[in-house]
Amino acid sequence: MSILVCGSLAFDTIMTFEGRFAEQILPSQLHILNVSFLVPGLRREYGGCAGNIAYGLRQLGAQAVPLAMLGNDGQDYLARLKALGVDTQHVGSSTDCYTAQAMIMTDRDNNQITAFHPGAMSQAHDNPVPARADITLGIISPDGREAMLSHARQLHAAGVPFVFDPGQGLPMFNGEELLQFVELATWVAVNDYEARMLSDRTGLSLESLAERVQGLIVTLGAQGCEIWEAGQKTTVPGLSATDVVDPTGCGDAFRAALLHGLEQGWALQRCAELGNRMGAAKIASRGGQNYLFSV
C-alpha cells in the first residue's frame, strides 16, 4: 500500500546565528525594525514538507508517493527522491520558475526565523490527486493555498482517509476554510502554536474540533504530544534527544511516523510514541533528510 504525501518540495538554506534573537530585537522598536544577524554557519539541504515526510517514510520502509511540484532547477532533487526509492511519478515540474526555497535562520536556543519563496509550489493545484487503488492514506501538508484546498476535497471525494497538517500554511486560511479542512479530514496534526491559531480562527475549542475527526494530535516539542480522541485527552511524553543539533524537519519526521503507524492500523498513542522517537532522532542531525532511523 502507498501513502500520498501532498505538500512542498523545497531547497532549504539553513543559517546558524550563534547568539539569541531576543537579545538583538528590541520589543519597543519593532515598528522600525532594522536588524542584521551574522551567520557563520550556512548550508543548503533538500527540504519541503513532502520531501521530508517522504524521506521519513522510506526510513520506516513505507512507500511514499509525493504529490508536489519542482521548478526548473529541481533535477537533482528528483534524482535524489528516485535514489531513495520514492515513487516520483506524481512529482510535477515547472519550466518557468524555481523550486520553492526556504531561508531558515536558527539561534542558539533553536528559535527560527524563516523566509519562504513558493516558486513552483504555487502551481501545485495543477497536479491533481491521482486515481490509484494502492493509495490508502494521505496527508495534506503545507503547500500552495489552492493545492491544499483542492487536494483535500479530492482525497475526501476519493474516500481516502487523510491527515490535515496545515503547519506554516495555516495563516493562509480563514476560520471557515479551516473548519472545512477539519470536516474533510480523518485526523488533524498541529503543534501547540498552530493549535491555538486553529482554535482562535474557527472559534472552537480543541475538544470541539476533535469531535469532528477520529483524532487530533498536538505536538509539544521535547514535551511530547497530546492526543484528543473520543472527547478524551492523552499526553504522550517526549524523549530526550542524544544531541540537539537542528530542529529543522522534526515535525515532518513525526508526521512520517504518524502516517506509518496509521497505515499499519496502530492505535494513535503508539503512532505518537514512534513519532516522538523519530523526532528525537532527527533533531540530532542537520537538515531534514540526513538522519537514519528504524523501528
Side-chain angles (χ1 to χ4, degrees):
M1 296 293 102
S2 301
I3 299 171
L4 189 71
V5 184
C6 305
S8 62
L9 295 174
F11 293 115
D12 292 341
T13 299
I14 301 173
M15 298 160 281
T16 303
F17 174 57
E18 296 178 349
R20 292 184 172 91
F21 295 144
E23 296 172 348
Q24 304 295 317
I25 299 173
L26 301 175
S28 63
Q29 302 298 311
L30 288 177
H31 63 293
I32 53 170
L33 184 65
N34 186 355
V35 294
S36 177
F37 300 98
L38 178 66
V39 287
L42 187 148
R43 67 189 190 280
R44 196 183 198 211
E45 302 280 0
Y46 296 101
C49 293
N52 292 346
I53 293 170
Y55 177 88
L57 286 169
R58 292 304 298 145
Q59 291 291 301
L60 296 166
Q63 183 55 61
V65 183
L67 184 66
M69 291 291 291
L70 288 169
N72 52 26
D73 57 345
Q75 294 84 2
D76 288 348
Y77 204 150
L78 187 63
R80 172 182 170 78
L81 291 172
K82 290 179 179 178
L84 290 168
V86 173
D87 182 340
T88 61
Q89 64 177 303
H90 302 294
V91 175
S93 179
S94 173
T95 59
D96 59 1
C97 58
Y98 293 119
T99 299
Q101 314 272 332
M103 280 66 75
I104 304 166
M105 183 164 48
T106 304
D107 75 359
R108 65 187 300 177
D109 294 329
N110 288 318
N111 297 307
Q112 292 185 319
I113 296 174
T114 301
F116 188 76
H117 169 66
M121 191 185 78
S122 299
Q123 302 175 14
H125 57 278
D126 294 328
N127 198 4
V129 169
R132 287 177 43 168
D134 65 314
I135 293 174
T136 57
L137 180 65
I139 184 169
I140 299 293
S141 65
D143 203 352
R145 172 183 160 80
E146 293 306 316
M148 292 178 70
L149 289 165
S150 60
H151 291 162
R153 291 192 292 263
Q154 291 163 13
L155 281 170
H156 184 264
V160 177
F162 70 91
V163 176
F164 174 51
D165 168 31
Q168 63 266 35
L170 194 155
M172 295 190 295
F173 304 102
N174 61 33
E176 182 179 349
E177 291 165 333
L178 290 169
L179 189 57
Q180 180 186 36
F181 277 119
V182 173
E183 297 287 357
L184 295 173
T186 313
W187 305 274
V188 173
V190 288
N191 65 26
D192 50 349
Y193 180 83
E194 294 156 3
R196 290 192 293 272
M197 182 177 289
L198 180 62
S199 183
D200 287 345
R201 293 207 172 182
T202 60
L204 297 173
S205 66
L206 290 181
E207 185 175 3
S208 296
L209 288 166
E211 292 174 355
R212 291 164 164 77
V213 290
Q214 287 188 21
L216 186 151
I217 304 98
V218 181
T219 58
L220 307 170
Q223 283 69 52
C225 64
E226 296 173 347
I227 296 172
W228 291 82
E229 288 182 290
Q232 299 294 318
K233 182 177 75 171
T234 302
T235 300
V236 181
L239 295 176
S240 298
T242 56
D243 194 13
V244 178
V245 175
D246 180 9
T248 307
C250 285
D252 296 328
F254 182 96
R255 269 56 168 181
L258 172 65
L259 289 166
H260 172 73
L262 291 173
E263 200 269 335
Q264 296 296 313
W266 294 357
L268 205 54
Q269 181 169 341
R270 184 180 176 189
C271 297
E273 289 169 349
L274 179 62
N276 289 341
R277 285 176 53 205
M278 202 156 175
K282 203 261 55 97
I283 203 171
S285 67
R286 297 194 182 280
Q289 300 180 24
N290 296 317
Y291 64 97
L292 298 176
F293 187 84
S294 60
V295 179

